[in-house]
Amino acid sequence: MNFTFEGNYKSKRTINLGGVRVNDDKKVLMAKAQAERKAREYERRKLKSAGIIQAFYRGRREAAWSRQQLRLSFARLLSTLPQQLNSLPCNEHQLSLTVRKALQHLLVFYQSTKEQDNAMVAEFCRFLLLPMPHTHRSVFQWQLMQTDQTALEDRPWPILLLMKKEITLSPVLDVISLLLDVSTYTSLMPQHVEAAQAVHAGVMLFCLHSSHLLMALRSFYQHTCSKTPELLNKAFTIVLYAAGFQSTPAMTSHSSFTRRHVLEQLTVEVFSLPFLLDRVPLASKEHLVHAIVFHEQLEMIIDFYKGGAWPTVMSPERLAGVFINVTDMGNSQSEESLDKNLVCSSYARVIQYLLADLSPVYFAHEQAISIEALPVDSDSDADEELPQDVVMEESTPKRTLTPLVQERLESLYTTDKINALVQRCIQLATQSQDTPTPLFMAPMASLFNSLIVCWPRKKEGLLSTFLYHRWEHEPTKHSSHLAQIVWQAWLETENASVLSGQQTVDQMEDVMHTFSDLGLSENWSMIYLLCELYTRVLLTIGDDEFFHASSPNHQLQLNQVVQLSGQLKVIAFLLFWKAGTLDMQRALGLTGIQLIQLRSTVTKLLQQIHSRDIANAVDANDQLVEEETPFSGTRHSKGKLSVITPRLDLLNHLPFVIPFEYRVEIFRKFVENDRGNHWIQDYVHPRTSVVVHRDSVFEDGFSHLYPLGADLKKRIAISFVDEFGLQEAGIDGGGVFKEFLTALGHEAFDTNYGLFCATSEQLLYPNPSALVSEQLAYYEFLGLIIGKALYEGILLDVAFADFFLKKCLGNVNYLDDLPSLDPELYKGLITVKNFEGDVEDLCLDFTVLENGNVASLK
């Protein structure tokens, strides 16, 4: 503050006439300059874009004005055409010029979105179809005949160019039909038929290759109501012309468009329309099959799959349409085209490929069964619910599906149609001498397998049709079973020859090669189908039919069963043993069968054959499934056993393929490892000391040992008290506990005790009357005791009935297991089953005795 004696103590203001000074750095100045430059550039582009938009708008406005002028000119020309036609032959040249000029105008101004233009096109095409005075030809044909500077091959092109814009009008369809009809050109040049056919081929080439005619026809079918059959028939006539088109050598030399390309376009664009053939008369359908040459189309579809895949345009809906239409064409040719081995096998192969390629959403209503959660032979009330390795999982469709398509897919293969297909298959297989049976049966087996996999709810009916359809063929009048035919075809394959004979571990590579070889993969469909068929056969035949070749219901001879089981054993063993190195979800070529599905089916049949074998074989030489494996020649060390033991699936599902002594050795190794993990040693102090009275061994053992649960595996010391109440002297070093287990088994498993009943062969099974809630703990305790005996290596003298052992293992009992419970009932059922007369004549009823009460069901 400046102080003066004048009293003015305020400071003078600092005035800067240059404004506020801002100290900006270099970066700020650079960013500011760049922003200003971008703003100027944006303004320039804005002005330029505005000029482009204005020019485009002016151009469109001028084009619309020009089209409108041409539209008016075309209307004037169109109004004069009838007058010129009536004045013929004076004004022929004028009429020709007027038609050509009108067509030129039409090509320029026509817009398919305008109803006015569509009406003009329809009227113009109707005029072209009018008959010429004093001739049978139409105006269009007369126009093609005009001799001027234009050659014949150049005259149809204005109409062809128009066709690229619109084909959905009825008169236009008529004109296109005239264009595609070869007689249109041959009638104009009767002296030069080859030249006329060449012109027709050029027109067809343009229509199919350049004008996208078939794509337009697809759109036409999709947007045309089925209640307009006249339009649909006209469009189908064009399809027939396209289907019958054959490319000429002259065309193929100038263009890569061949007959195969025609079939590809027809299949992708037209035959992929669901219910296409439902909209045409039967005569037209048969004409189409002849025109397209059905086996050529089948081979083309097969090449699609073998070459990689369909074009990217093939959606799931289009695949379903191809499947429906190919099946319809096959049904219409059941007596002619499919009456040859190669054609029938191609048809079966195509249907199977398409079924395997269809989206799972089309079968979403089928119940999905998870195999990993169930054992191979789990207990189930219905056989069709038995687990399969892989069944398509139900998923929520991401697209809207037409219910009619799903219903049609199911109705394509009814019982009658399957029956006819099986009859034709058997007939061609038994009478064929030109074609090797495997080449014919492999695709047929793949088709039958696909039907079973895609519609699991129909599996029972399908298998029944396959099994019990027999056809009497000449000249032997011998009844042929499908299972027998499939078996004979399988034996002729390289796969079967590789599996035959003694196998060792070092020789398994040849078998593994057959799983990956595309040329041999289709043969596996036959063994898969054979396993499904024979598994169902074993459910319904008794032991007397199984072991006697004269039975009409046993579709394989006993020696064939022995040979089959030997091959199945190798297949199942490898698929279990190599499961860690194989992709079990991988399909076998194009069959649609996954390795895990093949393993499941083979395993199930082997289990049933082995069950019959064990129950009825007298000695080891009579066994159908011998207990030997590819590694059974030498004894294995503990190191090799450590490699074997992780293959628990093999031990769980096919224990009989491993020799019994090896199974015991593996089991003892498991016990030894478990003892080490839980520190269970013989010299360790006992976990529990139990006092047991001689006259109540079971009750004392139950009261003291049942609460232990899993601790029962640990060491337990037993002290006996005699009948006088005195404790017996001695230290339990293992022998006393063994005596305890033996005594407990004698008491508990005695039929007089009431927990078990005995069959006529003195085999034990639980007493149904004792299965009350209070006594269920007794059975659980006995299970623990049996487990303890196995753990300690103690032998219990007890024999259970076969049907009870199967239930304990979680398996299902079938008809052949009934003798182990009630032999008389089994014999009675077999007698009724084989009774050739009317069963009602026997006047039988079914009587059940339960808790002393008799219930009779007639």
Side-chain angles (χ1 to χ4, degrees):
M1 179 182 295
N2 296 327
F3 177 79
T4 62
F5 289 97
E6 298 176 356
N8 186 7
Y9 56 89
K10 293 183 180 181
S11 59
K12 295 181 179 180
R13 291 183 300 172
T14 301
I15 300 174
N16 184 5
L17 299 180
V20 179
R21 184 176 181 179
V22 180
N23 295 325
D24 294 332
D25 57 6
K26 185 176 180 180
K27 292 183 179 180
V28 175
L29 293 176
M30 182 66 69
K32 184 178 180 180
Q34 291 177 349
E36 293 175 352
R37 189 181 305 112
K38 289 181 179 179
R40 292 192 298 270
E41 180 66 22
Y42 174 75
E43 289 296 329
R44 284 195 296 269
R45 286 191 286 110
K46 185 177 179 180
L47 292 174
K48 185 178 180 180
S49 299
I52 294 174
I53 292 173
Q54 291 174 0
F56 175 78
Y57 174 76
R58 287 194 298 268
R60 292 297 298 269
R61 186 177 58 184
E62 292 295 331
W65 183 85
S66 299
R67 281 195 297 270
Q68 184 62 27
Q69 295 302 314
L70 290 174
R71 192 175 286 113
L72 295 175
S73 177
F74 176 82
R76 289 191 296 269
L77 294 173
L78 189 60
S79 63
T80 62
L81 285 176
Q83 299 175 0
Q84 296 181 17
L85 179 63
N86 295 328
S87 62
L88 289 180
C90 300
N91 297 324
E92 288 187 359
H93 181 68
Q94 182 63 31
L95 177 61
S96 177
L97 293 178
T98 304
V99 170
R100 184 170 302 176
K101 186 175 182 181
L103 184 56
Q104 292 173 354
H105 289 356
L106 188 59
L107 287 174
V108 176
F109 76 78
Y110 176 76
Q111 292 178 310
S112 60
T113 57
K114 292 183 176 296
E115 293 295 334
Q116 180 185 2
D117 291 358
N118 290 331
M120 290 183 176
V121 169
E123 186 177 354
F124 180 69
C125 290
R126 278 192 290 269
F127 172 77
L128 293 178
L129 296 172
L130 291 176
M132 292 290 295
H134 312 294
T135 180
H136 62 280
R137 294 187 177 92
S138 64
V139 174
F140 173 69
Q141 292 173 308
W142 171 81
Q143 182 68 20
L144 293 179
M145 291 178 60
Q146 294 305 297
T147 56
D148 53 11
Q149 296 85 359
T150 334
L152 175 62
E153 57 268 20
D154 297 330
R155 295 172 198 158
W157 296 113
I159 293 292
L160 294 175
L161 294 175
L162 175 64
M163 187 187 64
K164 295 186 66 172
K165 297 185 177 184
E166 179 60 54
I167 68 166
T168 60
L169 301 175
S170 178
V172 178
L173 292 174
D174 293 331
V175 173
I176 295 176
S177 297
L178 281 176
L179 275 173
L180 302 184
D181 190 356
V182 66
S183 63
T184 301
Y185 305 92
T186 55
S187 63
L188 300 179
M189 302 175 62
Q191 305 299 327
H192 305 281
V193 177
E194 293 184 0
Q197 291 176 346
V199 175
H200 171 259
V203 172
M204 291 292 297
L205 176 63
F206 177 84
C207 294
L208 298 176
H209 184 53
S210 302
S211 69
H212 307 292
L213 172 64
L214 297 181
M215 293 179 61
L217 282 175
R218 176 181 181 84
S219 177
F220 169 78
Y221 270 104
Q222 289 176 330
H223 297 91
T224 302
C225 179
S226 59
K227 295 182 180 180
T228 55
E230 182 182 357
L231 282 179
L232 295 175
N233 290 337
K234 291 180 179 180
F236 195 76
T237 302
I238 299 176
V239 174
L240 291 176
Y241 286 136
F245 171 64
Q246 296 284 348
S247 56
T248 62
M251 285 180 52
T252 54
S253 62
H254 295 86
S255 173
S256 60
F257 194 78
T258 62
R259 168 69 175 172
R260 176 183 172 84
H261 294 90
V262 176
L263 294 177
E264 289 180 5
Q265 283 196 13
L266 279 170
T267 303
V268 173
E269 299 296 344
V270 180
F271 294 136
S272 59
L273 290 166
F275 317 114
L276 170 68
L277 301 181
D278 291 352
R279 310 180 188 184
V280 298
L282 180 60
S284 299
K285 184 190 301 186
E286 295 177 353
H287 188 190
L288 173 65
V289 176
H290 289 289
I292 201 173
V293 188
F294 191 40
H295 74 271
E296 290 185 2
Q297 186 190 29
L298 296 176
E299 293 298 331
M300 182 273 302
I301 297 177
I302 293 174
D303 292 341
F304 260 139
Y305 280 100
K306 291 185 176 180
W310 286 91
T312 55
V313 73
M314 288 300 291
S315 61
E317 291 80 5
R318 292 199 182 198
L319 282 175
V322 173
F323 175 79
I324 292 173
N325 291 317
V326 169
T327 303
D328 284 346
M329 287 190 289
N331 291 336
S332 66
Q333 291 295 298
S334 59
E335 299 297 334
E336 184 175 345
S337 294
L338 297 185
D339 210 18
K340 300 177 182 178
N341 276 18
L342 293 179
V343 179
C344 191
S345 61
S346 298
Y347 172 75
R349 188 176 281 115
V350 167
I351 295 300
Q352 184 267 315
Y353 289 169
L354 291 171
L355 270 177
D357 203 19
L358 284 178
S359 174
V361 297
Y362 288 103
F363 313 102
H365 62 284
E366 295 288 345
Q367 183 178 1
I369 302 173
S370 176
I371 285 308
E372 301 300 331
L374 297 174
V376 174
D377 199 21
S378 64
D379 193 3
S380 177
D381 294 333
D383 181 66
E384 61 269 14
E385 296 177 357
L386 288 177
Q388 301 294 323
D389 275 308
V390 173
V391 176
M392 292 176 292
E393 297 180 356
E394 183 174 357
S395 59
T396 302
K398 297 182 179 180
R399 59 180 64 88
T400 302
L401 297 177
T402 305
L404 293 176
V405 175
Q406 292 180 317
E407 294 177 4
R408 173 58 66 87
L409 289 177
E410 289 194 15
S411 64
L412 287 176
Y413 290 95
T414 59
T415 302
D416 293 338
K417 293 179 181 178
I418 293 295
N419 192 63
L421 190 60
V422 173
Q423 178 177 350
R424 193 177 309 117
C425 172
I426 294 176
Q427 179 181 3
L428 295 178
T430 53
Q431 294 182 344
S432 173
Q433 297 179 355
D434 300 331
T435 305
T437 306
L439 295 180
F440 168 70
M441 284 305 304
M444 296 299 297
S446 297
L447 172 58
F448 294 153
N449 294 332
S450 296
L451 294 175
I452 294 173
V453 172
C454 291
W455 290 289
R457 293 184 180 182
K458 297 183 178 181
K459 179 179 179 180
E460 182 178 359
L462 289 170
L463 289 177
S464 298
T465 303
F466 297 156
L467 284 171
Y468 304 115
H469 177 94
R470 289 177 292 179
W471 179 73
E472 305 293 339
H473 62 84
E474 300 289 348
T476 61
K477 295 293 183 180
H478 178 70
S479 179
S480 299
H481 291 281
L482 180 62
Q484 185 66 231
I485 293 175
V486 175
W487 167 250
Q488 296 299 333
W490 163 255
L491 290 180
E492 299 179 21
T493 63
E494 183 179 343
N495 309 56
S497 61
V498 172
L499 292 170
S500 301
Q502 186 70 22
Q503 299 287 342
T504 63
V505 174
D506 297 333
Q507 296 171 334
M508 288 298 154
E509 293 302 323
D510 293 339
V511 182
M512 297 298 298
H513 173 70
T514 61
F515 291 126
S516 56
D517 191 340
L518 293 178
L520 302 176
S521 59
E522 194 174 40
N523 295 332
W524 289 112
S525 60
M526 289 187 284
I527 199 67
Y528 183 89
L529 178 62
L530 184 62
C531 290
E532 289 285 359
L533 294 174
Y534 199 61
T535 299
R536 183 51 59 93
V537 169
L538 292 181
L539 297 182
T540 58
I541 65 173
D543 292 336
D544 56 335
E545 297 173 299
F546 180 78
F547 287 98
H548 293 83
S550 59
S551 173
N553 296 324
H554 193 193
Q555 302 191 9
L556 294 180
Q557 302 296 325
L558 201 59
N559 61 333
Q560 294 174 339
V561 177
V562 174
Q563 187 178 0
L564 173 63
S565 62
Q567 296 180 358
L568 296 183
K569 181 182 59 178
V570 177
I571 297 172
F573 177 82
L574 277 177
L575 292 179
F576 277 113
W577 196 258
K578 298 289 187 179
T581 59
L582 291 174
D583 181 10
M584 299 302 293
Q585 306 296 331
R586 178 175 61 86
L588 292 166
L590 297 173
T591 62
I593 302 171
Q594 298 177 347
L595 286 174
I596 194 170
Q597 290 177 302
L598 178 64
R599 186 182 71 180
S600 174
T601 304
V602 169
T603 301
K604 186 175 179 181
L605 179 56
L606 273 176
Q607 289 173 341
Q608 291 196 9
I609 295 177
H610 180 261
S611 177
R612 297 286 184 120
D613 184 22
I614 292 301
N616 297 276
V618 178
D619 53 47
N621 295 327
D622 296 332
Q623 292 184 4
L624 302 178
V625 182
E626 299 178 1
E627 290 188 347
E628 61 177 34
T629 62
F631 62 85
S632 60
T634 58
R635 187 175 180 83
H636 297 287
S637 62
K638 291 184 178 180
K640 181 118 350 160
L641 286 175
S642 65
V643 178
I644 297 174
T645 50
R647 275 73 172 187
L648 292 181
D649 282 340
L650 185 63
L651 290 172
N652 290 335
H653 300 305
L654 297 175
F656 48 84
V657 303
I658 301 177
F660 179 73
E661 58 270 18
Y662 293 149
R663 279 181 271 162
V664 173
E665 193 172 350
I666 293 172
F667 177 74
R668 299 317 306 171
K669 187 64 178 179
F670 276 131
V671 173
E672 181 182 344
N673 293 338
D674 187 74
R675 285 177 176 273
N677 294 334
H678 293 85
W679 296 90
I680 301 175
Q681 304 294 336
D682 294 337
Y683 55 81
V684 177
H685 189 274
R687 166 69 172 79
T688 303
S689 297
V690 178
V691 177
V692 178
H693 294 78
R694 289 282 185 181
D695 55 353
S696 58
V697 176
F698 180 76
E699 289 79 0
D700 290 347
F702 176 79
S703 60
H704 291 93
L705 300 182
Y706 179 68
L708 295 180
D711 288 339
L712 188 61
K713 68 173 63 177
K714 298 180 180 179
R715 189 182 174 203
I716 297 174
I718 299 294
S719 297
F720 279 108
V721 175
D722 59 18
E723 62 271 16
F724 303 105
L726 300 177
Q727 186 171 357
E728 300 178 1
I731 300 176
D732 187 2
V736 179
F737 183 78
K738 180 178 180 181
E739 181 184 0
F740 162 74
L741 289 182
T742 303
L744 187 147
H746 280 301
E747 181 177 342
F749 295 116
D750 189 351
T751 55
N752 295 326
Y753 196 80
L755 291 178
F756 288 87
C757 297
T759 65
S760 58
E761 298 178 354
Q762 299 304 310
L763 300 177
L764 301 179
Y765 63 94
N767 186 357
S769 301
L771 296 178
V772 294
S773 58
E774 296 80 6
Q775 294 183 339
L776 291 180
Y778 288 167
Y779 292 103
E780 183 179 0
F781 171 64
L782 289 176
L784 293 173
I785 291 299
I786 294 175
K788 178 65 173 178
L790 292 173
Y791 198 80
E792 301 294 341
I794 299 174
L795 180 63
L796 293 179
D797 186 14
V798 58
F800 294 111
D802 290 343
F803 73 91
F804 175 60
L805 289 175
K806 291 188 70 173
K807 294 296 291 184
C808 291
L809 294 174
N811 297 335
V812 180
N813 286 300
Y814 300 109
L815 178 64
D816 57 292
D817 298 301
L818 183 58
S820 62
L821 174 63
D822 193 337
E824 296 300 326
L825 176 60
Y826 172 76
K827 292 180 181 179
L829 291 177
I830 292 297
T831 302
V832 175
K833 175 177 176 290
N834 297 330
F835 184 67
E836 297 181 357
D838 190 353
V839 180
E840 293 184 356
D841 296 340
L842 299 177
C843 299
L844 297 176
D845 58 18
F846 190 79
T847 303
V848 178
L849 180 63
E850 183 176 0
N851 297 328
N853 298 321
V854 177
S856 180
L857 300 177
K858 295 184 178 180

